């Protein structure tokens, strides 16, 4: 946690709306910066949440899907120290906010559509 805060990670709490972190992330993206999001809401989960699509839509930013394997072996959730393990990062194709919205007129519909697209792109990236 201390390391992540030191490199500028924004705090996110489960089961709670994180308005302050969302506003900071949108400001970073709006200024041309980069924000990394675990679309599953954490490590080693399968269900894709809508936060990444929401941020991309609100900031008119592109999403670059990445699939990371091996990180949980390199730094197990219950481990205090990293271990040597192979980490593989697969890079997908960037998806623009316009593609995410896919013609949706409301934010909630666009986030739902964008989340489905993120789900598909991550599955494709995971396969290789």
């Amino acid at each position: 946690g201390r390391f992540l805060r030191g490199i500028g990670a924004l705090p996110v709490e489960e089961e709670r709306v994180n308005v302050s972190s969302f506003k900071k992330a949108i400001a970073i993206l709006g200024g041309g910066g980069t924000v990394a999001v675990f679309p599953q809401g954490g490590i080693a989960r399968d269900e894709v949440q809508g936060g990444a699509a929401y941020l991309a839509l609100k900031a008119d930013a592109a999403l670059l899907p990445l699939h990371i394997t091996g990180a949980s072996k390199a730094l197990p959730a219950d481990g205090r120290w990293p271990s040597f393990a192979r980490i593989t990062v697969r890079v997908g194709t960037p998806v623009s906010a316009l593609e995410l919205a896919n013609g949706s007129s409301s934010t909630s519909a666009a986030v739902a559509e964008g989340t489905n697209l993120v789900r598909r792109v991550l599955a494709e990236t995971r396969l290789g």
Side-chain angles (χ1 to χ4, degrees):
R2 185 179 299 171
F3 171 76
L4 292 174
R5 285 187 297 279
I7 62 169
L10 302 173
V12 176
E13 295 181 38
E14 290 187 52
E15 308 301 323
R16 219 176 125 208
V17 177
N18 297 275
V19 176
S20 175
S21 292
F22 268 101
K23 286 181 178 180
K24 287 178 186 174
I26 290 168
I28 291 167
L29 291 168
T34 302
V35 175
V37 176
F38 290 95
Q40 294 90 348
I43 298 172
R45 295 185 184 160
D46 289 329
E47 183 182 345
V48 175
Q49 307 294 315
Y54 178 83
L55 288 173
L57 289 162
K58 285 297 184 182
D60 193 24
L63 279 173
L64 177 62
L66 302 171
H67 184 260
I68 303 170
T69 55
S72 60
K73 290 179 183 174
L75 185 59
D78 59 352
R80 295 183 70 162
W81 301 103
S83 63
F84 291 103
R86 178 179 295 266
I87 295 175
T88 303
V89 179
R90 291 184 187 92
V91 182
T93 304
V95 181
S96 71
L98 183 62
E99 288 175 272
L100 284 173
N102 194 25
S104 299
S105 58
S106 72
T107 300
S108 60
V111 168
E113 182 64 34
T115 301
N116 286 332
L117 178 60
V118 169
R119 206 176 273 118
R120 285 192 309 272
V121 170
L122 285 173
E124 291 168 7
T125 304
R126 185 181 296 130
L127 295 174

